[in-house]
Amino acid sequence: GDSVTQMEGPVTLSEEAFLTINCTYTATGYPSLFWYVQYPGEGLQLLLKATKADDKGSNKGFEATYRKETTSFHLEKGSVQVSDSAVYFCAPGIIKAAGNKLTFGGGTRVLVKP
Amino acid sequence: GAGVSQSPSNKVTEKGKDVELRCDPISGHTALYWYRQSLGQGLEFLIYFQGNSAPDKSGLPSDRFSAERTGGSVSTLTIQRTQQEDSAVYLCASSQKWADTQYFGPGTRLTVL
């Protein structure tokens, strides 16, 4: 069935390193794609989104491009900071499967060391 | 206005008891979602409400789980005869429209002893 596959963590990086978190999905026709972030001790919040194919979402130095041809929405940041330590979740707007379930990726924990 | 609020923030209960979890969405948001996040796990979709339509209950893990949304606003998730495997953080989110950006509440941490 339709699904979202997200890179497993934890990912441990040093400050100023380049970060990529892969996210792919197996369905088509998503109206939007999202990345959410959960900082330690805080609730889930939107990081960025893209509303159609080839759109690029960006926020706080993070970027992700909606690649319909590769069904991917990889998250990237060129130079991470300690404050970027968090769990990142990839989410399509809709999974067009039975019941139109909403599915999040499994989450990727990122730890940035000074 | 205010964000999504949930109550209680923590709930400890004994196995076999019923619990009710409450969610107050952002005013004007037509869609409301419930998720479950177990320790170290991802998000498990439970149920959503869209406007006045019947809720999609396909994600509910068993018939012990039910939810309602009164007046298109406040929602209550009820778990009957709780089991230890129900222990998790229950998250509520709302969005202006279906599948749009979701705004999450702080969650209710449920512990079943």
Side-chain angles (χ1 to χ4, degrees), chain A residues 38 42-44 87 89 105-107 109, chain B residues 34-46 86-91 104 106-110:
Chain A
Q38 189 170 32
E42 297 185 18
L44 269 161
V87 182
F89 293 90
R109 183 175 299 277
Chain B
W34 282 98
Y35 298 88
R36 179 166 69 175
Q37 187 174 29
S38 301
L39 186 62
Q41 303 296 313
L43 286 164
E44 177 187 3
F45 167 73
L46 297 178
D86 299 333
S87 296
V89 176
Y90 288 82
L91 295 171
F104 285 83
T108 294
R109 182 176 298 278
L110 175 66

Side-chain angles (χ1 to χ4, degrees), chain A:
Chain A
D2 298 350
S3 66
V4 176
T5 302
Q6 182 176 342
M7 189 171 102
E8 285 190 25
V11 175
T12 304
L13 305 166
S14 297
E15 255 190 328
E16 300 183 2
F18 183 84
L19 170 67
T20 298
I21 304 175
N22 291 339
C23 172
T24 58
Y25 55 92
T26 61
T28 59
Y30 299 131
S32 298
L33 293 173
F34 303 85
W35 276 100
Y36 289 86
V37 60
Q38 189 170 32
Y39 297 105
E42 297 185 18
L44 269 161
Q45 58 187 276
L46 177 71
L47 177 60
L48 54 84
K49 72 176 184 181
T51 57
K52 59 184 186 293
D54 298 326
D55 253 9
K56 177 186 283 186
S58 60
N59 186 26
K60 299 183 179 182
F62 288 89
E63 292 183 341
T65 300
Y66 187 153
R67 302 283 188 198
K68 196 172 182 180
E69 66 277 10
T70 55
T71 62
S72 65
F73 193 52
H74 304 324
L75 182 68
E76 297 181 336
K77 185 171 185 179
S79 177
V80 293
Q81 305 300 312
V82 172
S83 57
D84 294 323
S85 297
V87 182
Y88 295 82
F89 293 90
C90 179
I94 292 176
I95 294 283
K96 291 245 180 246
N100 271 343
K101 289 184 182 181
L102 295 170
T103 301
F104 280 61
T108 302
R109 183 175 299 277
V110 173
L111 177 60
V112 180
K113 295 186 174 180

